[in-house]
Amino acid sequence: MQQTRGVALYSNISDFLGEKKDDNSREGHGMTQTQQPSTAEPLLVMKFGGTSVGSVEAMERAARIIETNRAEWPRIVPVLSALSGVTNLLLDTASKAARGDRKIGVEAAETLRRRHLEMAADLLKDSRRLEDFTSEVLRLCDEFSHLCGAISVLGEATNRALDAVASIGERLSVRLFAFCLEERGIAAKFVESSDLIQTDSTFQAAHPDLSATRERTRAVLLPILDEGVIPVADEVWIWTDVDGVMTADPRIVPEARTIPTLSYRELAELAYFGAKVLHPMAIRPVIEAEIGLAIRNTFNPDHPGTRLVFQNQHSSEVIKAVTSIRGQSIITIEGRGMLGVPGVAARAFGSVAATGTNVILISQASSEQSICFAVPISKSAAVVGALERTFASEIQNRDIDRIWGSDEMVIVTVVGSGMRHTPGVAGRIFSSLGERLVNVVAIAQGSSEVAISLVVEAGAAEMAVRVLHGLIGN
């Protein structure tokens, strides 16, 4: 499929086409924009999540969204996730193959093949396109089956193998969507993210080399979009199955509503502490390039969604949202001999890092006699064991009395940049929780004052979220 202007599709990456802004800027879309050359046309990146392309109806709706917006945005770059449920199927299959199931790969590949070809039969009426897509599906499903076969023989699914397996879903969906757009008369070409993204070798948790990736992305995508024109990405739209970022999880708080605007810092705090709309790493390139971003609903495209801005203007809502992370354990190091001893924290977190565990939250008593931090409960035993080995001599000398991990805890986080300039917010938070007999185990607040995080017992988490959500607008 060839195109010179129109739509380029690629999988599983954010926009890397934006250029870093300088002081010669203009206002637009609620944030700073670089003055574009007169020959450049606006560029829009649209990210569609799995549910937004997971069925015939959803994919047709996504194609219509692109078609509808082409008049205003002549240069569109869609970014696709795998069809809903596909990535789970891929990774679950790899896990079973690692346990010695030598048939599971063939069976899952057939499921994958059938689902994509059934969708293609409804979406693609042109026999040549259907034949071309069928060939691509068979090739990629065979690749997946062979990967699973190798995993089953080795009896191990390495991180590198899991990355290869996980990519199959996006590689299939991006091809189907490109053919679907061509079916509607929109010139399109699929591009795999492996042609664009340069990362380090930390498989399953790789970090992109943004400079190298930006160069490769421009080299591949710009000629497709418009020969010789260097665009600045004006906006990125994330299409998902909700109307934007909500004030709380609607499963916990039925009256939760969409937040019209959020600062990038507020969104980063929400994403880090449990909101599932965006991963913090996904928005980093957009923030650095100062590109506008909106989160919208594929199934309700007329809803304005949530718009991201760099600096929040004055808002009457001091608190904007409440979110939570379940499945945490509080690790505590306690001892009277820790007082004034340098390097305890450094040794502790070095020990935790050696286990490959991410620390979500840290809290330390002002007396320096205890330090506690949150880790996933699945890592609790390993972390405690590592710390006991690190501080074996201090434990023996009774400088450290004990190191232990709690039962399941939940981190509840209140987010809102207005808290920075509003006295008494913390008092209202803790008074409201106290009135409902919710016990707070630990507290942490960043220096930016955009978020306050509280640790509560798992059984009290939903009550805490509902109580704190009641403070929004009050």
Side-chain angles (χ1 to χ4, degrees):
M1 293 179 293
Q2 299 295 323
Q3 89 162 41
T4 55
R5 295 178 58 164
V7 177
L9 291 97
Y10 55 108
S11 58
N12 201 32
I13 63 173
S14 297
D15 173 74
F16 287 97
L17 296 179
E19 294 184 337
K20 191 69 177 177
K21 307 300 184 278
D22 56 27
D23 292 333
N24 186 18
S25 60
R26 63 178 171 84
E27 292 298 317
H29 304 294
M31 55 195 67
T32 303
Q33 300 287 331
T34 291
Q35 181 68 44
Q36 299 182 41
S38 59
T39 56
E41 294 174 320
L43 173 67
L44 173 66
V45 177
M46 291 190 182
K47 166 65 168 65
F48 292 94
T51 54
S52 296
V53 292
S55 66
V56 170
E57 295 77 14
M59 191 164 281
E60 286 181 332
R61 188 178 290 109
R64 285 198 300 273
I65 287 171
I66 288 176
E67 191 172 36
T68 300
N69 285 279
R70 287 181 74 212
E72 182 179 357
W73 300 91
R75 298 152 65 84
I76 298 177
V77 179
V79 182
L80 263 66
S81 294
L83 307 187
S84 54
V86 165
T87 301
N88 286 341
L89 170 66
L90 294 168
L91 295 177
D92 288 347
T93 301
S95 177
K96 292 175 182 176
R99 295 197 293 267
D101 190 333
R102 299 198 176 190
K103 295 182 179 179
I104 190 68
V106 175
E107 295 169 357
E110 174 59 24
T111 300
L112 207 61
R113 182 197 66 79
R114 184 170 58 250
R115 180 175 177 186
H116 286 82
L117 291 184
E118 285 176 353
M119 283 184 63
D122 290 330
L123 291 166
L124 309 179
K125 304 306 178 186
D126 181 88
S127 59
R128 179 189 61 81
R129 291 192 186 99
L130 182 58
E131 181 180 341
D132 288 347
F133 178 67
T134 300
S135 176
E136 291 288 313
V137 169
L138 295 178
R139 180 178 65 82
L140 288 171
C141 288
D142 280 347
E143 181 179 328
F144 170 59
S145 179
H146 292 149
L147 279 169
C148 290
I151 289 170
S152 67
V153 169
L154 293 172
E156 179 186 10
T158 64
N159 288 339
R160 185 169 191 163
L162 289 174
D163 278 351
V165 166
S167 72
I168 299 290
E170 280 82 9
R171 293 168 69 191
L172 285 166
S173 66
V174 80
R175 285 164 167 78
L176 179 55
F177 195 50
F179 283 111
C180 178
L181 290 173
E182 284 220 324
E183 194 80 12
R184 303 176 75 92
I186 303 172
K189 180 178 182 179
F190 58 80
V191 180
E192 291 193 9
S193 59
S194 58
D195 295 333
L196 308 176
I197 299 181
Q198 181 76 40
T199 74
D200 60 23
S201 297
T202 311
F203 299 103
Q204 286 285 287
H207 283 74
D209 180 335
L210 295 183
S211 178
T213 298
R214 188 176 293 111
E215 290 181 12
R216 293 175 65 171
T217 301
R218 288 173 175 169
V220 173
L221 292 188
L222 293 186
I224 295 174
L225 287 167
D226 195 348
E227 185 71 26
V229 176
I230 299 176
V232 174
D234 291 83
E235 288 203 1
V236 175
W237 293 357
I238 307 293
W239 291 95
T240 182
D241 56 358
V242 293
D243 286 335
V245 180
M246 307 290 285
T247 53
D249 186 337
R251 293 169 297 183
I252 299 174
V253 184
E255 62 271 24
R257 57 190 182 275
T258 303
I259 305 171
T261 61
L262 278 172
S263 70
Y264 278 110
R265 185 55 188 262
E266 288 172 328
L267 180 66
E269 295 285 357
L270 285 170
Y272 185 77
F273 285 108
K276 300 185 183 302
V277 175
L278 283 178
H279 192 285
M281 289 181 64
I283 63 173
R284 178 185 169 188
V286 182
I287 295 171
E288 292 181 350
E290 298 187 12
I291 297 168
L293 188 147
I295 301 165
R296 302 180 65 178
N297 190 346
T298 311
F299 305 95
N300 186 17
D302 294 331
H303 193 285
T306 299
R307 178 167 294 281
L308 276 296
V309 298
F310 288 100
Q311 297 292 336
N312 254 333
Q313 297 179 354
H314 177 72
S315 172
S316 60
E317 293 184 335
V318 175
I319 296 173
K320 283 197 171 182
V322 182
T323 189
S324 61
I325 305 180
R326 302 193 71 89
Q328 302 297 306
S329 175
I330 297 298
I331 308 298
T332 302
I333 305 172
E334 186 176 64
R336 286 163 293 182
M338 292 169 55
L339 179 62
V341 178
V344 172
R347 291 171 61 200
F349 293 118
S351 177
V352 174
T355 69
T357 302
N358 184 37
V359 175
I360 305 295
L361 173 148
I362 304 168
S363 182
Q364 184 173 15
S366 59
S367 67
E368 301 182 29
Q369 294 187 49
S370 71
I371 183 171
C372 66
F373 50 90
V375 301
I377 197 165
S378 60
K379 293 279 195 173
S380 178
V383 168
V384 169
L387 290 170
E388 287 176 339
R389 290 189 293 274
T390 296
F391 293 106
S393 62
E394 285 83 359
I395 294 171
Q396 183 176 3
N397 296 331
R398 307 200 63 177
D399 292 330
I400 290 179
D401 297 322
R402 61 173 180 156
I403 300 171
W404 80 98
S406 71
D407 292 335
E408 184 185 2
M409 296 286 176
V410 177
I411 300 173
V412 178
T413 301
V414 178
V415 175
S417 58
M419 294 191 296
R420 182 183 305 167
H421 307 294
T422 306
V425 175
R428 291 173 57 207
I429 288 172
F430 296 116
S431 295
S432 299
L433 292 173
E435 289 171 2
R436 303 303 294 267
L437 303 180
V438 176
N439 183 44
V440 176
V441 176
I443 307 164
Q445 181 176 17
S447 59
S448 68
E449 300 181 36
V450 170
I452 298 176
S453 294
L454 327 164
V455 179
V456 300
E457 294 179 349
E462 292 192 2
M463 173 62 75
V465 171
R466 286 193 288 268
V467 168
L468 295 176
H469 187 269
L471 299 178
I472 297 176
N474 295 324

